[in-house]
Amino acid sequence: MNAELFNPFTIAQQQVDHASEKLELDEATRELLRWPMKEIKATLPVKMDDGSTKIFHAFRIQYNTARGPAKGGVRWHPLETMDTVRALAAWMTWKTSVVDLPLGGGKGGVVCNPKELSVTEKERLARAYVRALARSLGVTKDVPAPDVYTTPQIMAWMMDEYETIIGENHPGVITGKPLALGGSKGRGDATARGGVYVTREAAAVAGINLQGATMAVQGFGNAGQHGALLGEEILKLKLVAASDSKGGVYNPNGISAEALVDYKIKNGVVQGFPGTDEITNEELLALPVTVLFPVALENVIRADNAENLKCRICCELANGPTTPEADRILDDKGIFVLPDFLANAGGVTVSYFEQVQNAYNLYWELQEVHWRLDKRMTQAFASVYEMSQRNKIHLREAAHLVAIARVAEACKLRGWV
Ligand code: NAD
């Protein structure tokens, strides 16, 4: 087995190569877009509660800043690697570009197991990360956000450390903050809401009536629960199945999304929800629903099960749920796949709104956040759909072309290439 094939950064570079070829980019632009523009590796000594000192390895990648300051989350994960962070930073660059935000792409990571850290140890680690990177962070340079195992509280400590170092109020240095410290209304459900808006647009161009049609949600966590609630509220879809890591539930006559969310919060699982039958995650993927929301893990739709899918629209709220081989199969089956970095871009879009509100020190009502998000997502879908129609390619490839062409243009206009 070739390990390189599974290196996410190798995959990210192959995607750039493919798009560069299609866009007929010159050699220098191709090479520039294949690599992060800036990489920071820091070694963080952090005092533990028992008085010992532990050493943590930390990364921050600023992949490309031609369109604006780097933007992307900070992951705390025991298996974090520089290459994973590089790939995720590349994907953030294309994500901010595809929704046309005036931002670049970045990502950060710390190799650690947050489950083994106390609250005070987490605070010291968050502050150590910012102390090591402070000179490279800032509203005009690089703006981190929460990601795997990092929370609004961790963002609050990071913001406080940054402001302490520079001696100024600068809430826009971090997004995903608690509301009381300059967070934006509407951030909580923004990822799912953006996905629901692009699903509405996809259904419109494909001539699919969503009113009373069915949806299934694989991964009933944060984004999945909001996807079900908003699918019901905005699209008038009927939830028929939902799952988490322990298994799923199914009722072809419909499941109240709100009641299932309450049940999941109380019981920690969806299994056992009254009036439903048990269903496996594999069976859920194969249901003949109108809309499927994969919102769990990467690589759940693969060459060995893609043939079983019967949905009409697959809205990838999760990152990387579909492998490249499965993508081709879904395309042949005529399934409308909304690619992850478009479908789940609502989160970073509202993060950008948070930065804008912080800069003006003026905060928007929830309705304003919603209509601005709707406008951005609708426009992003329209650009990607137009590209796919013009070149007779599927939406994922079209989204890459739209995003990479915009970054390439910004690099050229700056005179970098
Ligand atoms: P989460 O941890 O709240 O929820 C994940 C859910 O998936 C959990 O309910 C878990 O039980 C379930 N799950 C885990 N393994 C599973 C399996 N094998 N089969 C079925 N379900 C399984 O995470 P989240 O924040 O909702 O994120 C979910 C996905 O959405 C991730 O891929 C994430 O990268 C992506 N995403 C989330 C956001 C966001 O704002 N939350 C933004 C962009 C992308």
Side-chain angles (χ1 to χ4, degrees), residues 95 187 191 218-224 243-245 264 281 295-297 317-319 344:
K95 191 185 290 198
R187 179 64 185 85
T191 300
Q218 192 202 41
F220 210 61
N222 179 18
S243 66
D244 54 34
S245 56
K264 167 86 182 167
N281 268 296
V295 210
L297 303 174
L317 288 178
N319 280 317
N344 67 33

Side-chain angles (χ1 to χ4, degrees), residues 156-414:
W157 292 323
M158 288 186 172
M159 180 197 81
D160 182 69
E161 188 66 24
Y162 182 80
E163 291 187 344
T164 305
I165 291 167
I166 66 161
E168 278 175 34
N169 181 271
H170 249 295
V173 68
I174 301 261
T175 62
K177 300 180 293 293
L179 270 182
L181 287 180
S184 176
K185 286 183 179 157
R187 179 64 185 85
D189 69 11
T191 300
R193 186 173 285 274
V196 162
Y197 291 147
V198 289
T199 300
R200 180 195 62 205
E201 296 305 303
V205 298
I208 298 170
N209 181 11
L210 296 178
Q211 182 100 24
T214 52
M215 67 174 152
V217 176
Q218 192 202 41
F220 210 61
N222 179 18
Q225 293 173 21
H226 286 302
L229 291 167
L230 295 171
E232 240 180 42
E233 181 193 321
I234 298 174
L235 305 177
K236 311 296 175 210
L237 286 165
K238 180 170 75 174
L239 179 68
V240 294
S243 66
D244 54 34
S245 56
K246 302 281 182 296
V249 289
Y250 175 56
N251 180 347
N253 299 317
I255 300 170
S256 156
E258 199 182 335
L260 188 61
V261 169
D262 286 346
Y263 183 89
K264 167 86 182 167
I265 292 168
K266 274 195 204 99
N267 299 282
V269 290
V270 293
Q271 264 179 346
F273 182 71
T276 57
D277 294 327
E278 280 193 17
I279 186 172
T280 65
N281 268 296
E282 280 301 314
E283 287 164 347
L284 180 143
L285 289 177
L287 288 174
V289 288
T290 306
V291 182
L292 173 68
F293 290 106
V295 210
L297 303 174
E298 56 283 357
N299 300 335
V300 291
I301 305 170
R302 302 170 305 269
D304 60 300
N305 64 3
E307 203 57 64
N308 304 337
L309 265 66
K310 298 178 196 74
C311 59
R312 299 192 64 194
I313 298 173
C314 177
C315 177
E316 295 183 341
L317 288 178
N319 280 317
T322 311
T323 66
E325 298 91 333
D327 222 10
R328 283 189 280 278
I329 299 171
L330 300 188
D331 196 33
D332 290 345
K333 287 170 71 81
I335 294 175
F336 209 120
V337 179
L338 288 160
D340 52 2
F341 70 105
L342 169 65
N344 67 33
V348 71
T349 303
V350 175
S351 271
Y352 161 66
F353 294 164
E354 184 177 332
Q355 279 183 266
V356 173
Q357 293 169 80
N358 293 154
Y360 280 88
N361 207 5
L362 178 71
Y363 290 84
W364 302 342
E365 291 306 322
L366 188 58
Q367 288 74 6
E368 181 160 5
V369 173
H370 288 171
W371 82 256
R372 284 182 186 275
L373 176 62
D374 193 347
K375 209 166 119 192
R376 288 268 169 188
M377 297 304 297
T378 302
Q379 278 170 356
F381 176 84
S383 313
V384 171
Y385 186 66
E386 194 272 327
M387 176 70 91
S388 81
Q389 292 291 295
R390 184 154 37 96
N391 293 289
K392 306 219 174 338
I393 51 180
H394 58 67
L395 286 202
R396 193 184 314 278
E397 190 178 357
H400 272 123
L401 294 192
V402 168
I404 290 175
R406 285 180 183 157
V407 178
E409 184 193 8
C411 293
K412 184 139 291 245
L413 286 169
R414 282 173 179 275

